Amino acid sequence: MNVNQHTPMASPYGQPQPGYGQPGYAPLDGGYPAPYAPYNGPTSAYQPGAPPQGPVRGPPVSGAPPVSAPQQYNQYSHSQGEMQNGPPPMTQAPPRPAVSQSYNPAGMNMTGPPHPSYPQHYGPPPTMQQVTNQMTGMQINSGPPTPAGPGYAPPNSSQPPVSTAYTAAPPTSYAQGPPPASSAPTQPPPPSGPAAPQQYYGGPSPPSQQPFNSSLPPTSQQQFTPAPPPSQQTFPPSSYSGPMPPASQAPAPPVSQPQQSFPPPAQPTFSAPPASQPPAFAPGPPLQNQGSFPPRGPPPSSQPGSFPPPGPPPTSLSSGPYPGQMPPQQHPPPSQPSPYHSGPPPPGVQMPPTSMAQSNHLPPGPPGPPGPMQQPPPQPGMPGGFPPQQNGAFGQVRGPQPGYAGPYPGQPNYGAPAPAPAPAAPAQKRLDPDAIPSPQASDMPAVQKSRHRIDPDAIPSPIQVIEDDRAKSTEPFTTGVRGQAPPLVTTNFQVKDQGNASPRFIRCTAYNIPCTADMAKQSQVPLAAVIKPLATLPPDEIPPYLVDHGESGPIRCNRCKAYMCPYMQFIEGGRRFQCGFCSCVTEVPPHYFQHLDHTGKRMDCYDRPELSLGSYEFLATVDYCKNNKLPQPPAFIFLIDVSYNAVKSGMVNIVCEELKTLLDYLPRENPEMDSVVRVGFVTYNKVMHFYNVKSSLAQPQMLVVSDVSDMFVPLLDGFLVNVNESRQVIESLLDQIPEMFADTRETETVFGPVIQAGLEALKAADCAGKLFVFHTSLPIAEAPGKLKNREDKKLIGTDKEKSLFQPQVGFYNTLAKECVAQGCCVDLFLFPNGYVDVATLGVVPVSTGGSVYKYTYFQAQSDRERFLNDLRRDVQKLVGFDAVMRVRTSTGVRATDFFGSFFMSNTTDVELAGLDCDKAITVELKHDDKLSEETGALMQCAVLYTSCSGQRRLRVHNMAVNCCSQLADLYRNCETDTIINFFSKYAFRGILNSPTKAVRDTLINQCAQILACYRKNCASPSSAGQLILPECMKLLPVYLNCVLKGDVLLPGADVSLDDRAYLRQLISCMDVSESHVFFYPRLLPLTKLESDSLPVAVRDSEERLSKGGVYLLETGLHLFLWVGASVQQELLLNIFGTPSFSQIDPSMTSLPVLDNPFSQRLREIIDSFRAERSRYMKLMVVKQEDKTELIFRHFLVEDKSASGGASYVDFLCHMHKEIRQLLS
Amino acid sequence: MSTYQEFIQQNEDRDGVRFSWNLWPSSRLEATRLVVPVSCLFTPLKERPDLPPVQYEPVLCSRANCKAVLNPLCQVDFRAKIWACNFCFQRNPFPPSYAGISEVNQPAELMPQFSTIEYIVQRGPTAPLIFLYVVDTCLEEEDLQALKESLQMSLSLLPPNALVGLITFGRMVQVHELSCEGIAKSYVFRGTKDLTSKQIQEMLGLTKPGATAQQGRQPVPQEAAASCKFLQPVHRVDMNLTDLLGELQRDPWPVTQGKRPLRSTGVALSVAVGLLEGTYPNTGARVMLFIGGPPTQGPGMVVGDELKTPIRSWHDIQKDNARHLKKATKYYEAMANRSAVNGHCIDIYACALDQTGLLEMKCLSNLTGGHIVMGDSFNTSLFKQTFQRVFSKDYNGDFRMAFGGVMEVKTSRELKVCGAIGPCVSLNSKGPCVSENEMGVGGTSQWKMCNLNPSSTLGMFFEIVNQHNAPVPQGGRGVIQFITQYQHSNTQRRIRVSTIARNWADAQSQIQHIESSFDQEAAAVLMARLGVFRAESEEGPDVLRWLDRQLIRLCQKFGQFNKEDPTSFRLSESLSLYPQFMFHLRRSPFLQVFNNSPDESSYYRHHFVRQDLTQSLIMIQPILYSYSFHGPPEPVLLDSSSILPDRILLMDTFFQLVIFHGETIAQWRKAGYQEMAEYENFKQLLQAPLDDAQEILQTRFPMPRYIDTEHGGSQARFLLSKVNPSQTHNNLYTWGQETGAPILTDDVSLQVFMDHLKKLAVSSSA
C-alpha cells in the first residue's frame, strides 16, 4: 500500500489530475462552460460509478472461484500498475479528453468494468465502498451513480480505457486509458450511452426502479426519466447533470456496456482496470487487496445493484436487473479475454475483476462473520455490508435472505450499508445484518414482534455496523470523488488525497446536501462539518505539503479571498482564474502564470499541491502576521500551584520531577533540531513566584509578585529561556521547588492573576505561547477572578441549572479575549479535592483552544501515570499558535455556527490562541440560497497559524460535496457519527441558555423529524406501525440515547457539577472518533486474543457480559477491565497471575507484567488503546458485584441507567412513537 | 577671655555653637536694628574626645511645660537639695540619688566646664542599626560593576549585628529576601504603581492575613520572621548578600533606541520606606539610594523615557515648563516626611553625567539628614571614597553617624526661638519658647534629625522678646539650652545637653560692645543660610536684593562715615570681612543658578545648609593657596591677580579641589624638568600642593572633585569662575598685564561691589 501511496504522492497530483483532467476534458468536449465545475463532478462521478459497479459485479460474480483470479490480478496489477503508471500518462493525454466524454456514458456502461475504475482509484475503492453503501441506494446507487454517472461515466470509461490502452498509467490511465479505448468506441458510446440508458430505463430498470424504490426508486426514477436522456448526453460534459443522471447512467451502463461500447471499452477497460487495480492492491497485502476488491466487486455489483435497487423492493425485479447486469459483466469478461491476450496481466485482471469482485466479496465475507455467511453465500463478501444495511434499515424487522433475490439489492445495500439510506428501508425489510431469517415481506411482522417483546438482537447493532464497515474498507479511501462518505471512524483505512481533504481533517454530516433550504429544513438533517485542521496523520500518510508563493503571498480570489485550490478554474489561456466559490474572475499574477493544456488544466497542475490536493499549507508572508512582523518562536510557561493541597497531594513533586525530562521533548517540526520553544516557570499560591533561570546564573532566582490585583511580569530576560542553554539552572530550580514549599501552610490560591501573569509574560516577550497551569482549588484569595463556592445540587433540574454552567464572573471572559489577542493558549490541569468551579475556570482554556484536564482527588500513587502521560502528550503534541480559521463556502451556503475551543470576535473568524492536533471545530452550514447539483457545494477551511517553530503558515483544507434535489440522496450519504458529534455539541451549548430538559426534548424532536421525514419521503409505503430507519442513520437512535443519558444532560446523583462542566467543555472540541467512543464505549470480550486482530466488540449491555469472561471497556477517558465472578482460573492466571477471583486487587492501575502470550497481548491492546486517544486512560479493574461495578455499569449505555436514562430498546420505542406522531 | 576671638573659639570647641552676636541686645527693638538676627550655628554632635558621657540620666525640671535639664547655670541649694530651673525658675528637689551632693561633691552637670554634657540612657531596648541598599540597575555594565564592588566592600565595614537589606530597581522593584538558601528570592513590585505603606507590607507578607479575618493565627511570630526575611544581620547573610550582589544583573528590560531606561525610583523608595515603616519604626535606619539616572516612570517620575525630551533645566522651571516637577517634588516630600516620622534617613548617591532628579528628590535627604553625593560615575574614586567615608569611624571606633536625633531648644524668658535651618524637620512642638516669627523651619521648639554626624550643623534663629521698656536687670544673662537625644551608632541612646548663656547689653549705651561681639563669620554663614532657605521658594533676584538690603543696612548701622561721602566709609575690624563674604556669596552657586543645573544647585545647597561653619565659609569663599619658589605656601586673595605664571595655585571650594599650574610652571612641567635630578626643587614644588590636597581629601566629606589643571586648560574654568574678577577683558589694559590673568566675565569685581556698597551705605536715601 505504501508503495501505492507513495506513487500516488508523487503522481497523486497526477492521479487526481486525471480525474480532473477528464472532467475538464469533458467540459471541453462538451464545450460547456459549466463543465469546469463539473470537475468535481467527474471525479466524484467516477467513484460513484465505480461503486455501483462494484456491487453489481459482486453479486453476479457470486462465484467464489474468481477470487483466486483476483489474487493473480493483484500480482499482475502490481507490476502492471507500475508499468502503467509510468508510460500511460505520457502518451495518451490528448485522446483522453474526447474519450473521457464519450466515456462517461461508456464509463457508466462500463461500470461493469468499474473494476477497472477501482484499480484506478485505489483510493476510490473506499469510495466504491461508500458508493456501495449509498447503495441501497442500489437503486439510488444507480441514482447516485448518476451523479457519479456523469462524472463516473468518464471515469469508468476512462478507467477501462485506461486499463486497456494504457495499462501504463493508472493515473493518466484515466484520461488516457479511456480515451484510447473509447476513442473509437467512446465517442460513439456517448450516444450509445444515452441510448443505452434510455433503453434501460425504458426497459428493465425503470420498472424495477419504480417498484422498488418506493421511496428511493421513485426519486431515482424521476431522475431517470428526465435525466436519462438528457442527462446522459449532458452527463459526460457536466458530470453534475445531476445525481439522477448517474443513476440513469448506472443502469444504463450495464445495458449500454453490453450493447454498445462494452466490448471495446470493456476490453480495454478491463485490462486497464485490472492492471490499475493491481497496482493499488499491490501496496496492500494480497488478501487485503482482495478484500479491497470486494468493494470493487460491489461497485460493479452496484451497477447491477443499481439496477437491483430499483429492483430491491421487488426482489424479483432486482434479480431481473441482475440478469441484465450479469450479462453485461459476462460480456465484458469475454471481451476481456481478448484484451488479456494482448496483455497477459490484463486478461488476468479482467477476469479477476468479476471474479475479484466476487472473490472480494467472499473474502470480506469471511471476515464479516456469521451475518454475511448466513445470508446469500455469494454475497458473503458483501454480507458484511449487507447485514448492516439491513439492520440499519430495519430496526426491528429483518428482511434477510429473501431479500436476496434482492441480494443484489442487498449488495447495493452492502455498498450502502454505511451510507445506504434510502434503499435501507427496503433493504431492511429484506435482510438482517445478523442474518436472522425472517420473511422478506415481513416488515409488518417484525414490527409486531418488536411490539411484543423486542429482541435486542433485532434492533440495529452498532457493533454490526462497525464491523461491516471495517470489512468493506479494505482499500484506501480516495478523496477525489465528490459526495461519497468516508469509512466510519472506527475503521482503519488509508486516505489518498485527490482533491478533497482527508476525512481525518474534515468529516461532514452529509455528503449530499440538499439544494435548497426548504429541503434542508424538511429533513432536519444538520449540515455540519467537523474540522480538525491540524490532525495527526498516520505515519504512512504524508502531511500536507508546504507551498511557498513567494513574497506576494498565496494567490487568492480577489473577491472572496479564497485561496488557490483545485476548484479554481483557469481561463483565457491561463491568464485568469475563476473562483469556484464566488465565480469572481481574478488575474493570475505573472509569476504564477502557466499555460493550459488542451483540457484547460494548467500544465503544472500536478506539480502544485494547491491545484491538485485537498489539503496543503501556504507559507504566509508578513502581511499575515500580527503587526506585520514575523512571529517570534512561541514559549511554554509552566505555572504550578504550590499551596498546601498541591504539595500534599504530591502534584508539585511529580510535576517538577517530570518537567526535568519532559523539557527535552518540546514540540519541534524537525526531529533533528532542538525545539525553539522557550520555557518559563511560575509557581503560585496567593502570590506569584516567577523564576529567573538565565543560563548565566549559578542559582535560579525567585521573584515574588504579591500585587495580584494588578498583575505584571517582573522580568523578561531570564524568564523565558532556551532549555538547553539553561538546563543546569532549570534542573536546580525544579529540584528546589518542592523543597521550598514542602512546609507551606498557605491554602488559598488565586487563579485569574496566574493566567494574567503568563499572558503578560508572553506580551512582554512579544510571542505567542502556551500556559500549562497546574491548579488545585477554588481561587478564593483576594484577587481578580476570585470565586465563591456556588455548587448547589438543589438547582439541578430547575430552570436555574443553566446558570451553573455559566461562568460565575465576567472576568475570565475578558481575560480570555486578551489571551486570544496575544496568542496565549491555556492548558489547565486541575487537581481538585472539592468544588473548583470548572465552568468558570475553564472559560479561558476553552476560549483559547486549550484543554482542561481534571484529576479529582488526585493521589500521587494511583493517578501519577495518567497525569504524566497526559502531561507528556500535551507538552509534546504539535500545536499552532495565534490561529485564525475561516471557512469559505460556495455561494448558497454559509458557515453560520461554530462549536469548539476558540473565541470569535466576529461572525466569521474563528480565533484560536492555540490549536493542537486533537482539537476539532464543528461548523454548521446553512443555506442562504439555492445550490446547484452541477457544481455541488464547496468548502474551504483556511487556518492561519504560527507553527511551533515560529513560522507563519496557512493550512488549507478543501472539501466538495454533492448537492441533491432528492431527499433520498441526502439520507443515503450522511454520517451518523458526525451528526451525533454535532448534536452533542449543539446540545451542550444549549444547556448554557436553556433548561436541560428542553435541550433534551429538542434533540429528540429533531431526530424524530429527521427520521419521520425519511419515512415519509424516502421509504416505501408500509404500515405506519413499522419503524423504518435510513441505512446511514439506523444507529441514530442508539447514539442519541447515549447523548441524552450522558452525565451532562442527565446527571446521576453522584455526578458533580464540576464533572458535568468538565465533560461539557471536553466534548465541545472532540472530533468524531473521540465523541463516538465517548458516547458508545468500546467493549471487548477478552476470552481469546489473537495476535493480529482485536476481538470483535460486543454491545454495551450487561446482557452481553458473561460471568465467565473478562471484558475491556474503553470510553476515551476511562478504561475498565471487568472480571466476571465465575471467570476461569486460567484467565485469571494469565491476566493477574493469581488463581483466585478474590485475590484480584481492584485498586491496581496497571496489569502485572506476566510472561504469557495472553497477558502480553492484553497489555498490547491496552497500550494501543491508550495510544489512540488524546488522553491517557487509567485502567480500573472492576470485579463483578464489586462496589466499583456501579461505575462500570454506567458505561453500559444500552441498558437503563441508574440516573433514569432509557435503555436502547425503550428509547427506540419512544422514538418510534415520536415518529409516528409526526407522521400522523 | 582676652578677645572675642578666643571666646568664640572656646565656645565653639566646648559647645559647638557660634553665635552671630555674643552680646545680646536687651530689647526686641534694638535687636531688629542690628539687622543680623541673634542666631547661632549649632553642631549638636560636635566631636568631644575630651567629654566622656556620663552613665546616668539627666535631671529634669519638674514643671510640665519646661522639662529643662539641670545645668551649671542653675542655682543650687545644696543644703535643701533643691535646684532652681534657670528657664522657668521652678524650684526642684534633687532626686534621691543626688542625696550626697554638696559644694565639693557636685555632679558633672553642675560643673561649669560641663556646659555641654552627654548622658547615656539605659532604658529601652537597643535596636541594631539598619542599612537598606536601594540600587538602581539601569546602569552601564561598568558602573554597575563598580557599584556592586563598592556595596560588597561596604558589607565589611558594617558592624556585624547591623541589619542589611537590599532593594534593586529598574523597570520593576525587587525586594530581596536574604535568608534563603539555594535560590535567590525576591519580591517584585511594578514600577508604575503607587502603593500605600499598608499594601506594601501586605505584599511583602509583613502583616498577617488575620487583619482581614480570614485566619487570625500566629500573628506575632510571623511578623518577626517576616521582617527578618528582608533585613538580616550582616554576619549571617554576608556571604549570601555578597553573592547576590555579585549576580546582580543590569535591568533586563530592553531599552529601545531613543529611550531612557525605565527607572522606578519613586516606587523603589516607597517600598523601602514602607518596608522599614512596617518593620522597624522609630529605629535608626539608613536607606541608601544609588541611582544612575532620573526616575522615568511611575510616581516620582522626573522625566519621560523619551530621550528627545530633555530633563528640566532652570530655564524650563522658570518658564513653568517642567511637567513633572511639582508632582514629583510633592511625592518625594511626602515620602521624606513619612521617613522622617519613623526616624529613617535617606541617602542619595547619584552618579550620572546628566541630571538624576536631585532637585525633586533633595528633600529626601534634606529632611531626613541623609547624604547626597553627586558624581559622574560609580566607577570614580570620588564616589568610591566618598561612599567608603560614610562608614568612617571616630576615635572610639564608632561610626560617625547617629540616628533618630531629636533636638529641643529651651530659652530663658527674654528669648524665643524662631526656627532652624539645616537637616531637620519640625516636630511641631509648641511651647512657651516658640516665637511666632518664623525663620527657617519654625513654629516649634523641637526638631527631628533622623541622621546626624559630628559635622551636622543647624542654623538656629532667635528673637529677643524683651520689651524696650522692661530692661533686663544688669548682669542678667540670657540662656539657651539645646537638648539632643539620639541613638548612638553603637545603638546606645544618648542625650547631649548644651547650655549656653550670653550677657545682655543695652544697645544704646553699649553698642560698641555689641559691635565687637559680632562674629562675622557665623553671621555670614547664618545670613547665607537664610538666603539659601529663601532661595528655595523665591526667585533668585529677590533673594539677592534682600541680601544686599541687609548688607547695606548693616553697614549703615555699624559703618562710620560722613553722609553722602563714600570715601569716608569705614567698618570696624569685627565687620571688615563681612561684605567680602557677601560678595562671594552672591556669586556662589547657592544663590546663582546660572551655569548650574537644577540638580547641581540642589546638591550645593544641600551641603551648604548642613556643614559646620568652617566648611560653610569655604563654600562661600573658597580658599586659595599659592605655591612658588618665592617662599612657603601662602594663602592669597581669591582674586584674578593671584593667577600668576610662576605659581601653582590650590583652590578649595569644598566641592572642588583645583590645582592650577601657572603658565610657566606648566611649561616647565611639560618639558619634564621635574624628572631631572638637578631640578629636584621643582619636583618638590609640584608635589607640595598635591600633598596638601591629599590632606584635605582625607577629611572632606563628600569627596571633592579633584582637578589638576594648568593655565589655559579647559578645567581652569573652575578656578576662573571663582576668583574675584578684578581683571577682566574690560579693564585689562588699565591694570597692566603683569599682575594676573584676565577673567572673561561681565561680573562685577569686588572693588566695584564695595564701591557701590559704600555709596549706598552713605546715601541718606537708601
Tab-separated table of all heavy atoms in Angstrom, chain A residues 1084-1089 1095 1108-1111 1128 1131 1158:
chain	number	residue	atom	x	y	z
A	1084	LEU	N	-14.781	-4.935	24.693
A	1084	LEU	CA	-14.164	-6.082	24.062
A	1084	LEU	C	-14.174	-7.284	24.993
A	1084	LEU	O	-13.734	-7.174	26.133
A	1084	LEU	CB	-12.704	-5.781	23.698
A	1084	LEU	CG	-12.435	-4.698	22.672
A	1084	LEU	CD1	-10.961	-4.646	22.368
A	1084	LEU	CD2	-13.225	-4.939	21.400
A	1085	PRO	N	-14.655	-8.395	24.525
A	1085	PRO	CA	-14.533	-9.620	25.305
A	1085	PRO	C	-13.097	-10.129	25.186
A	1085	PRO	O	-12.500	-10.067	24.119
A	1085	PRO	CB	-15.506	-10.570	24.618
A	1085	PRO	CG	-15.631	-10.073	23.225
A	1085	PRO	CD	-15.342	-8.606	23.245
A	1086	LEU	N	-12.563	-10.586	26.272
A	1086	LEU	CA	-11.154	-10.942	26.253
A	1086	LEU	C	-10.916	-12.440	26.409
A	1086	LEU	O	-9.873	-12.870	26.871
A	1086	LEU	CB	-10.415	-10.205	27.368
A	1086	LEU	CG	-10.415	-8.690	27.245
A	1086	LEU	CD1	-9.681	-8.074	28.423
A	1086	LEU	CD2	-9.767	-8.262	25.947
A	1087	THR	N	-11.876	-13.191	26.048
A	1087	THR	CA	-11.694	-14.610	26.260
A	1087	THR	C	-10.557	-15.163	25.400
A	1087	THR	O	-9.728	-15.911	25.862
A	1087	THR	CB	-12.989	-15.358	25.923
A	1087	THR	OG1	-14.075	-14.487	26.233
A	1087	THR	CG2	-13.086	-16.614	26.742
A	1088	LYS	N	-10.575	-14.756	24.175
A	1088	LYS	CA	-9.493	-15.214	23.301
A	1088	LYS	C	-8.868	-13.990	22.662
A	1088	LYS	O	-9.572	-13.077	22.221
A	1088	LYS	CB	-10.056	-16.103	22.183
A	1088	LYS	CG	-10.298	-17.526	22.605
A	1088	LYS	CD	-10.730	-18.308	21.385
A	1088	LYS	CE	-11.236	-19.688	21.770
A	1088	LYS	NZ	-11.974	-20.324	20.678
A	1089	LEU	N	-7.578	-14.010	22.617
A	1089	LEU	CA	-6.922	-12.880	21.976
A	1089	LEU	C	-6.054	-13.385	20.836
A	1089	LEU	O	-5.258	-14.300	21.011
A	1089	LEU	CB	-6.050	-12.129	22.986
A	1089	LEU	CG	-6.815	-11.450	24.117
A	1089	LEU	CD1	-5.857	-10.751	25.043
A	1089	LEU	CD2	-7.834	-10.471	23.552
A	1095	PRO	N	-10.400	-8.635	19.254
A	1095	PRO	CA	-11.642	-9.395	19.304
A	1095	PRO	C	-12.795	-8.492	18.869
A	1095	PRO	O	-12.714	-7.266	19.005
A	1095	PRO	CB	-11.777	-9.787	20.778
A	1095	PRO	CG	-10.796	-8.954	21.523
A	1095	PRO	CD	-9.755	-8.514	20.555
A	1108	GLY	N	-18.426	-15.639	33.075
A	1108	GLY	CA	-17.154	-16.351	32.992
A	1108	GLY	C	-16.106	-15.602	32.192
A	1108	GLY	O	-15.050	-16.139	31.907
A	1109	GLY	N	-16.412	-14.387	31.819
A	1109	GLY	CA	-15.500	-13.686	30.930
A	1109	GLY	C	-14.814	-12.493	31.571
A	1109	GLY	O	-15.114	-12.102	32.704
A	1110	VAL	N	-13.909	-11.943	30.791
A	1110	VAL	CA	-13.238	-10.711	31.184
A	1110	VAL	C	-13.415	-9.746	30.020
A	1110	VAL	O	-13.275	-10.139	28.854
A	1110	VAL	CB	-11.736	-10.959	31.427
A	1110	VAL	CG1	-11.028	-9.650	31.718
A	1110	VAL	CG2	-11.551	-11.935	32.571
A	1111	TYR	N	-13.755	-8.531	30.332
A	1111	TYR	CA	-14.050	-7.562	29.273
A	1111	TYR	C	-13.266	-6.287	29.472
A	1111	TYR	O	-12.992	-5.873	30.602
A	1111	TYR	CB	-15.548	-7.234	29.256
A	1111	TYR	CG	-16.406	-8.423	28.895
A	1111	TYR	CD1	-16.751	-9.376	29.856
A	1111	TYR	CD2	-16.866	-8.589	27.592
A	1111	TYR	CE1	-17.525	-10.468	29.532
A	1111	TYR	CE2	-17.650	-9.688	27.256
A	1111	TYR	CZ	-17.979	-10.623	28.224
A	1111	TYR	OH	-18.740	-11.697	27.890
A	1128	GLN	N	-12.790	-18.026	34.462
A	1128	GLN	CA	-11.922	-19.201	34.501
A	1128	GLN	C	-10.605	-18.878	35.187
A	1128	GLN	O	-10.042	-17.804	35.006
A	1128	GLN	CB	-11.596	-19.646	33.072
A	1128	GLN	CG	-12.802	-19.925	32.238
A	1128	GLN	CD	-12.429	-19.951	30.760
A	1128	GLN	OE1	-11.266	-19.956	30.414
A	1128	GLN	NE2	-13.437	-19.995	29.924
A	1131	LEU	N	-7.767	-17.827	32.910
A	1131	LEU	CA	-7.764	-16.418	32.527
A	1131	LEU	C	-7.144	-15.564	33.621
A	1131	LEU	O	-6.338	-14.674	33.369
A	1131	LEU	CB	-9.202	-15.943	32.276
A	1131	LEU	CG	-9.676	-15.967	30.833
A	1131	LEU	CD1	-11.098	-15.429	30.760
A	1131	LEU	CD2	-8.747	-15.143	29.961
A	1158	PHE	N	-1.011	-14.308	26.489
A	1158	PHE	CA	-2.297	-13.637	26.721
A	1158	PHE	C	-2.075	-12.296	27.414
A	1158	PHE	O	-2.581	-11.268	27.003
A	1158	PHE	CB	-3.186	-14.532	27.595
A	1158	PHE	CG	-4.601	-14.036	27.662
A	1158	PHE	CD1	-5.557	-14.477	26.743
A	1158	PHE	CD2	-4.991	-13.118	28.637
A	1158	PHE	CE1	-6.853	-14.015	26.813
A	1158	PHE	CE2	-6.277	-12.656	28.699
A	1158	PHE	CZ	-7.219	-13.111	27.779
